[in-house]
Amino acid sequence: MSAKPLSANPTLADSPASTHAIPSARQSSKRRVTGYLAMSITLLLWAGFFLSLKGGANADFLPADLALMRFLVPAVLLSPFVYKARYEIAAIPFKYLLCMFVGSGLPYLLVASSAMQYVPVSHGSALVPGTLPLFVTAIAVVVFKQPLSTHRVAGLIAIAIGTALFLATSIGENYDWLQSKGHILFLVGSAMWATFTICARVANLNALACSGILAILSCLVLVVAIWVGWLPSVLNDTPMVNWPWKAVLSHTFLQGVGAGIIASCTYLYAVKRLGAERSAAFGSATPVVATLLAIPIFGEQPDIMTAVALIFVCLGSVVASNIFLKQDASMRYQPPSHQKQCG
């Protein structure tokens, strides 16, 4: 008697490839889980950055003190990556390196920390990352002629509406000029960060080397500025034995170690596992996380207009990230390379 074939009509279960289907699916699921876990850690650290700025504004720290706690540790710990990438850094045109320093180094932190003195966490955490797509798109379209998808246009319109609602919260019986000052400073900070984003994308430098060189430059400029009296510093005028070490260490961890080093690693990991668009869309929840954490920590209660503005900005950021878009000319756009421009 001849053996009966396993199947007269072979199915996927009979094919050799089927032996890899289940492990492959499991690996893909595991990659997504670890990617979302990394992005969740990134969200908490990004939110912690704004909470730290607010905590510093509520305490006796000045912007120069927050800058010292933000850049000193990354400057030391990331120096090996800077040394390893020294030739790549030397090849970057000065204008890009300068814009990266202004947009993400000491000048940006001074603007952001000053702005947080006048607005609640919900406003600051929404205006900087929330309006970032507006400024990035404006620069990319005007300077580099990047095409726009209809999804991104719709998202940018929602972000613009949310931004207008945030600005409108200053209107009342007595116009809140200080809050408006904070809003303007945060919008300036967002434009600075957008400049950094575009220039860092063109420079194409390793993320840790990029963070390291900006931290080193920021520390050098900060030390000079404090020494000559351009920037006042409470820590500089206070003996180290009298420093509020608990606050100093907490700010150093949240800003220097957390936002400066760990968040860079976890975000890059999330991008590799989830993709750039999905990671960017997930990152748009930063204002929501920061706002919710600010309620028990600082007792901030967002009003209705702030909540609506937050919804517009966050949803606009998600749509503008092109996460819902499969094929479009803007998805195939590649930024210019500074090597080609210099060659």
Side-chain angles (χ1 to χ4, degrees), residues 202-271:
V202 174
N204 196 28
L205 187 64
N206 174 276
L208 293 178
C210 179
S211 298
I213 187 61
L214 295 181
I216 291 172
L217 292 175
S218 296
C219 282
L220 293 175
V221 175
L222 180 62
V223 168
V224 173
I226 294 176
W227 183 60
V228 300
W230 292 341
L231 289 176
S233 169
V234 172
L235 296 180
N236 182 62
D237 298 333
T238 305
M240 292 186 63
V241 293
N242 295 329
W243 282 8
W245 280 105
K246 183 178 180 180
V248 169
L249 292 176
S250 63
H251 285 291
T252 300
F253 176 78
L254 281 174
Q255 296 204 32
V257 179
I261 299 177
I262 299 177
S264 298
C265 298
T266 54
Y267 183 69
L268 286 176
Y269 184 87
V271 169

Side-chain angles (χ1 to χ4, degrees), residues 60-89:
D60 294 328
F61 293 127
L62 296 174
D65 301 315
L66 294 175
L68 182 64
M69 292 180 277
R70 166 65 179 83
F71 293 116
L72 183 59
V73 173
V76 174
L77 296 183
L78 298 180
S79 56
F81 296 95
V82 175
Y83 180 79
K84 185 177 180 180
R86 62 191 183 279
Y87 297 116
E88 290 86 347
I89 295 173

Side-chain angles (χ1 to χ4, degrees), residues 155 157-163 165 306-318:
I157 292 174
I159 292 173
I161 294 174
T163 303
L165 291 175
T306 296
V308 173
L310 202 61
I311 292 173
F312 268 101
V313 169
C314 292
L315 290 181
S317 298
V318 171

Side-chain angles (χ1 to χ4, degrees), residues 11 16 22 35 56 137 140 170 173 185 196 198 217 252-253 301 321 336:
T11 62
I22 295 178
T137 301
S170 298
E173 295 182 2
L185 286 174
F196 159 76
I198 294 292
L217 292 175
T252 300
F253 176 78
Q301 297 290 339
S321 70

Side-chain angles (χ1 to χ4, degrees), residues 46-236:
W46 283 351
F49 171 77
F50 289 100
L51 294 171
S52 178
L53 286 182
K54 189 61 177 180
N58 291 343
D60 294 328
F61 293 127
L62 296 174
D65 301 315
L66 294 175
L68 182 64
M69 292 180 277
R70 166 65 179 83
F71 293 116
L72 183 59
V73 173
V76 174
L77 296 183
L78 298 180
S79 56
F81 296 95
V82 175
Y83 180 79
K84 185 177 180 180
R86 62 191 183 279
Y87 297 116
E88 290 86 347
I89 295 173
I92 299 175
F94 176 75
K95 62 180 180 181
Y96 290 120
L97 196 58
L98 177 62
C99 289
M100 289 163 62
F101 168 72
V102 172
S104 181
L106 178 63
Y108 165 76
L109 189 72
L110 293 177
V111 170
S113 57
S114 298
M116 193 58 86
Q117 300 177 37
Y118 309 113
V119 299
V121 172
S122 58
H123 291 211
S125 61
L127 286 177
V128 174
T131 61
L132 182 62
L134 284 174
F135 293 107
V136 169
T137 301
I139 296 173
V141 170
V142 173
V143 179
F144 299 116
K145 311 302 179 185
Q146 178 177 346
L148 275 180
S149 68
T150 53
H151 278 70
R152 176 155 292 185
V153 172
L156 295 178
I157 292 174
I159 292 173
I161 294 174
T163 303
L165 291 175
F166 272 119
L167 297 177
T169 58
S170 298
I171 301 175
E173 295 182 2
N174 295 314
Y175 190 83
D176 194 339
W177 290 102
L178 290 179
Q179 182 168 277
S180 292
K181 180 180 179 180
H183 289 158
I184 293 173
L185 286 174
F186 269 125
L187 290 176
V188 171
S190 182
M192 295 168 70
W193 188 267
T195 304
F196 159 76
T197 302
I198 294 292
C199 292
R201 191 180 182 189
V202 174
N204 196 28
L205 187 64
N206 174 276
L208 293 178
C210 179
S211 298
I213 187 61
L214 295 181
I216 291 172
L217 292 175
S218 296
C219 282
L220 293 175
V221 175
L222 180 62
V223 168
V224 173
I226 294 176
W227 183 60
V228 300
W230 292 341
L231 289 176
S233 169
V234 172
L235 296 180
N236 182 62

